[in-house]
Amino acid sequence: KFIPKKEDRFTFGLWTVGNPGRDPFGLPVREGFSPVEAVHMLAELGAYGVNFHDNDLVPIDATPAERDRIVSEFRRALEETGLKVPMATVSLFTDPIFKDGGFTSNDPRVRAYAIQKTMQAMDLGKEFGAETFVLWGGREGSEVDAGKDAVEATKRYREAINFLCEYSISQNYGYKFALEAKPNEPRADIYMPTTGAMLGLISTLDHPELVGVNPEVAHERMAGLNFYHAVAQALDAGKLFHIDLNDQKMGRFDQDLRFGSDGIKEAFFLVKLLEDYNYQGMLHFDAHALRTEDRQGVIEFAKGNMKTYLILKEKVKQFNEDKEIQALLQEIQGKKLDLPGFDFKFSADSLKALKGYEIDRAAVGAEGINYERLDQLTIEILLGVR
Ligand code: GCO
Ligand code: MN
Ligand code: MN
Ligand code: MN
């Protein structure tokens, strides 16, 4: 039970299980899984695929011959295991040239290189059949607002994404782009810090239909926001192209914890949202094992992410089938309005009916809503006593 299968569409970044446990204060504590090792390990655990930044696979200074060798070894591992590469992305944050951003840098030389590097990462992703291209602008931000005009930065961001959409069209790549917001880290303040801000940017693009979002649990929570709500808005907009699952305590540094390891209730409602609304995209874990772990710990970490998702999925089923909960929900959500002609859409009839509406304000205001009982039942499901 709770054994992951390909149909569950679980994916991991090469950078997640490849993480050697380095942090700003300390050296690596383990050897991360190399790309080929990661493919074999994840396939054995029942994952569907792996995703990568260009430089997770091919080092930035690789010669063409090295690139070819790496690509062919990686391809062989994928063929041997049947693992897929559904998503590709680009590192516009590691190399010193990006210290003040890529697409939004003040320096046009850097901006041009960032776009060129992204095109090459798109080419690389396509060699492995990637369909989604994630753009995370980790360095697109500032510490010194005097130095960069934020309106200009927004324009440059748009210009770069427009260019990349045209490139994808010109090459017949058919990519869907997924923009990933984060409020801070590594910059003090990152532009377009929330999923909602990204949705706003998308509506100003030349090809909004090609671009959606890649929300991440940790990123919304670092900002103290409700991730479930952010994902709901993206779903409603038809823009949930990808999702980064992990966990995070609010107000901390970027922790990248195992999915469901901290905010179990919010994780439950997230899984409920994805399952109830039949999200068909990849379930991507963007997290890494604690720095206390060796390679066996990394395997435990990888298994744990998937298992917790599957357990929560079962809890969702239980919640949806629970008679008492459903009766309560019927009571809470099934209220009737007795106002013929009014349907919440503006029309002459609707308007006329609404103008004549009389409500017993005091009585409705005094009705209890029963959320305490509902929430307690939810907790009892999560704690396994129902
Ligand atoms: C982070 C981000 C990254 C991105 C990745 C994909 O906090 O570092 O979540 O892991 O998801 O770069 O573009
Ligand atoms: Mn992150
Ligand atoms: Mn991170
Ligand atoms: Mn991420």
Side-chain angles (χ1 to χ4, degrees):
K1 217 174 167 192
F2 307 124
I3 309 287
K5 293 189 231 34
K6 301 259 175 211
E7 307 89 86
D8 294 315
R9 312 180 321 280
F10 292 133
T11 64
F12 288 81
L14 285 183
W15 68 95
T16 66
V17 291
N19 186 296
R22 185 190 300 108
D23 77 10
F25 303 93
L27 298 171
V29 294
R30 60 182 173 250
E31 211 181 307
F33 285 75
S34 72
V36 167
E37 288 171 341
V39 166
H40 287 282
M41 187 266 276
L42 292 169
E44 211 156 292
L45 299 185
Y48 174 80
V50 279
N51 307 314
F52 53 75
H53 301 88
D54 48 356
N55 305 135
D56 297 337
L57 187 62
V58 182
I60 196 165
D61 49 7
T63 64
E66 281 162 355
R67 182 194 193 275
D68 289 350
R69 180 184 51 76
I70 292 167
V71 162
S72 76
E73 281 174 11
F74 190 62
R75 187 185 307 287
R76 192 172 338 115
L78 293 170
E79 283 166 2
E80 279 166 15
T81 58
L83 227 64
K84 300 278 185 280
V85 177
M87 177 271 264
T89 182
V90 61
S91 171
L92 299 179
F93 45 89
T94 313
D95 194 83
I97 193 170
F98 299 122
K99 60 186 180 289
D100 193 25
F103 299 156
T104 64
S105 167
N106 279 327
D107 186 337
R109 297 170 302 173
V110 176
R111 294 207 298 280
Y113 174 61
I115 296 173
Q116 181 200 52
K117 188 171 191 288
T118 305
M119 292 191 304
Q120 287 166 357
M122 289 166 63
D123 301 340
L124 182 65
K126 266 298 148 190
E127 286 190 47
F128 295 100
E131 291 175 346
T132 304
F133 198 88
V134 164
L135 289 170
W136 172 62
R139 299 269 176 205
E140 314 293 1
S142 70
E143 291 77 31
V144 179
D145 279 333
K148 223 195 275 180
D149 180 328
V151 175
E152 261 324 294
T154 308
K155 287 185 181 150
R156 292 171 188 159
Y157 219 139
R158 177 183 309 116
E159 207 167 65
I161 298 169
N162 283 340
F163 194 102
L164 294 165
C165 286
E166 295 296 350
Y167 180 65
S168 178
I169 294 168
S170 74
Q171 302 304 112
N172 266 315
Y173 278 169
Y175 270 121
K176 292 278 198 178
F177 293 88
L179 308 184
E180 180 176 344
K182 189 177 184 185
N184 55 271
E185 249 192 273
R187 299 312 292 267
D189 293 290
I190 299 178
Y191 300 124
M192 263 63 73
T194 61
T195 299
M198 285 299 185
L199 288 171
L201 178 70
I202 290 170
S203 66
T204 70
L205 297 174
D206 289 347
H207 286 285
E209 74 284 0
L210 298 185
V211 187
V213 289
N214 178 36
E216 174 170 318
V217 178
H219 297 180
E220 236 65 33
R221 192 169 294 152
M222 283 165 73
L225 301 175
N226 183 319
F227 185 65
Y228 164 77
H229 291 184
V231 175
Q233 192 191 355
L235 266 176
D236 173 69
K239 291 297 186 191
L240 188 64
F241 288 5
H242 200 263
I243 193 162
D244 277 6
L245 302 173
N246 57 9
D247 218 335
Q248 172 77 30
K249 278 190 203 296
M250 181 179 145
R252 297 285 201 285
F253 64 94
D254 177 13
Q255 295 176 296
D256 284 327
L257 300 170
R258 192 178 76 256
F259 177 64
S261 62
D262 195 73
I264 193 75
K265 195 169 163 187
E266 199 174 319
F268 168 76
F269 283 107
L270 173 63
V271 172
K272 184 167 185 323
L273 184 69
L274 297 174
E275 297 298 327
D276 286 353
Y277 283 85
N278 198 24
Y279 167 74
Q280 285 299 315
M282 294 299 137
L283 297 164
H284 175 240
F285 297 105
D286 185 9
H288 50 73
L290 298 170
R291 195 161 175 274
T292 48
E293 304 309 293
D294 60 10
R295 280 166 71 100
Q296 186 53 40
V298 175
I299 295 175
E300 291 304 322
F301 152 83
K303 285 205 270 199
N305 282 290
M306 298 188 281
K307 186 167 182 183
T308 299
Y309 189 97
L310 294 174
I311 295 170
L312 289 172
K313 189 168 158 179
E314 176 150 309
K315 297 277 180 195
V316 167
K317 195 160 168 279
Q318 195 190 342
F319 181 100
N320 288 344
E321 287 169 359
D322 188 297
K323 296 242 156 45
E324 190 179 352
I325 290 179
Q326 293 310 312
L328 256 177
L329 281 174
Q330 181 51 37
E331 186 188 308
I332 292 169
Q333 300 177 348
K335 299 269 196 288
K336 298 273 182 303
L337 168 68
D338 184 19
L339 187 59
F342 178 71
D343 62 357
F344 290 94
K345 312 266 181 309
F346 194 88
S347 70
D349 281 354
S350 223
L351 183 62
K352 185 156 172 272
L354 186 59
K355 286 200 163 173
Y357 184 39
E358 280 175 37
I359 187 168
D360 187 344
R361 188 165 39 80
V364 175
E367 284 171 9
I369 300 186
N370 237 344
Y371 284 152
E372 283 290 358
R373 180 75 190 136
L374 179 64
D375 191 61
Q376 179 62 25
L377 292 175
T378 307
I379 290 292
E380 287 177 16
I381 285 198
L382 291 177
L383 295 181
V385 297
R386 264 185 90 74

